[in-house]
Amino acid sequence: EFLCAAVALLLEQNYCIFDGIVRRQTTGFATGASAGASLAHIFLYELTRETFAAFDDNVRLLKCYIDDGLLVWRGPLDRLEDLFAALDSLTPGMRVTHEVSLFTAVFLDCRFFKGPIWTAHRRLDVCLYSKPVNGYLYKTFDSAAPLSQYKGVVLGELIRYIKRSSCPLAYMALSRLFYLRLRDRGYPPRFLREAFGSAPSWFARPRLLSHATQQPDSGRLRALVMPYSRELERTNLARV
């Protein structure tokens, strides 16, 4: 009962100021709500599960993340269109945009396709997928952030590129583009050489894909909030 009451509060009591007037949101919930992703998962699952169950004989694989999905279908295309039509009729305003292909599929930031690995081992190749509207607006190097944060961005992206690239040449091309984009954002060549040099090799991909980090559970949640500025860091007050 408490969870239902909390969800109702979250969905029904959203207020914002628009054009100088306090308004209550009556459709959906506030963007950025901490429970937003979980509620969206629950809602879409409950809304679509009976429809997908009716086509269970044709669905070989179904993976969903909020409003993004990957479907492997076995059966006639006209029955697949029947599935999409049934999904579009579930609720007013809902429309499923989709692409059908025998050779490639996009899910989240991955594009799966039948390439050299498929030819040799019957496993799908994978490469990074970026939306055409992606502006690659990384934090500029003159922002008030510690150098460790910039290095973390570089390492995190390079590791993501390795995981999303089944071909080493594709990873090399991605990392080259990434370097040029960071230079456009003001990242110095020396810093980038050091950051790129500390990244793992593409040949560490199997380990990265299978690696699972386990953090010790102390049973308590601790939060440390500290204001930061680069000027304050240069004073070395922490060493006094």
Side-chain angles (χ1 to χ4, degrees):
E1 291 182 3
F2 169 76
L3 289 177
C4 290
V7 169
L9 178 67
L10 178 65
L11 295 178
E12 299 172 3
Q13 303 299 322
N14 285 316
Y15 295 88
C16 64
I17 298 177
F18 178 76
D19 198 20
I21 302 175
V22 178
R23 305 173 186 267
R24 184 167 70 91
Q25 184 175 345
T26 58
T27 302
F29 50 84
T31 301
S34 58
S38 298
L39 289 176
H41 278 298
I42 294 171
F43 173 79
L44 287 175
Y45 171 75
E46 291 294 331
L47 181 67
T48 61
R49 62 172 178 164
E50 292 184 1
T51 302
F52 281 116
F55 294 83
D56 187 63
D57 292 342
N58 301 106
V59 176
R60 295 294 304 274
L61 176 71
L62 176 63
K63 296 294 182 181
C64 298
Y65 182 78
I66 309 180
D67 61 345
D68 202 358
L70 173 66
L71 174 68
V72 177
W73 179 266
R74 180 173 64 181
L77 291 180
D78 56 351
R79 182 159 171 78
L80 178 59
E81 292 299 329
D82 291 340
L83 169 61
F84 292 133
L87 291 172
D88 287 343
S89 64
L90 287 176
T91 186
M94 177 172 172
R95 181 173 178 271
V96 177
T97 58
H98 60 276
E99 294 183 6
V100 179
S101 174
L102 296 175
F103 307 101
T104 184
V106 172
F107 182 55
L108 300 176
D109 63 344
C110 296
R111 184 173 77 87
F112 303 98
F113 61 98
K114 295 179 179 179
I117 295 179
W118 173 265
T119 302
H121 307 289
R122 285 299 185 265
R123 290 187 290 109
L124 290 174
D125 299 70
V126 62
C127 65
L128 183 75
Y129 171 77
S130 296
K131 293 183 178 181
V133 297
N134 192 338
Y136 304 99
L137 301 179
Y138 303 105
K139 184 190 297 292
T140 57
F141 199 76
D142 58 357
S143 302
L147 291 178
S148 58
Q149 187 175 114
Y150 295 102
K151 185 176 180 180
V153 169
V154 175
L155 289 177
E157 281 292 83
L158 289 176
I159 290 174
R160 185 169 72 97
Y161 292 168
I162 292 173
K163 291 180 177 180
R164 302 299 186 270
S165 302
S166 56
C167 172
L169 295 179
Y171 166 70
M172 292 173 62
L174 276 174
S175 60
R176 174 62 178 169
L177 283 174
F178 183 42
Y179 178 91
L180 295 176
R181 288 163 181 158
L182 292 178
R183 289 288 295 123
D184 289 340
R185 303 295 285 176
Y187 287 61
R190 179 177 178 181
F191 171 82
L192 290 177
R193 284 195 300 270
E194 294 177 356
F196 274 64
S198 63
S201 162
W202 178 88
F203 294 98
R205 186 169 184 264
R207 175 179 59 82
L208 294 173
L209 289 174
S210 62
H211 180 66
T213 303
Q214 296 181 353
Q215 298 292 341
D217 184 9
S218 64
R220 297 181 61 187
L221 179 63
R222 298 181 176 88
L224 176 63
V225 180
M226 298 180 62
Y228 174 84
S229 71
R230 186 168 293 181
E231 289 71 21
L232 182 62
E233 183 183 50
R234 288 169 182 162
T235 64
N236 290 323
L237 289 177
R239 300 181 181 180
V240 178

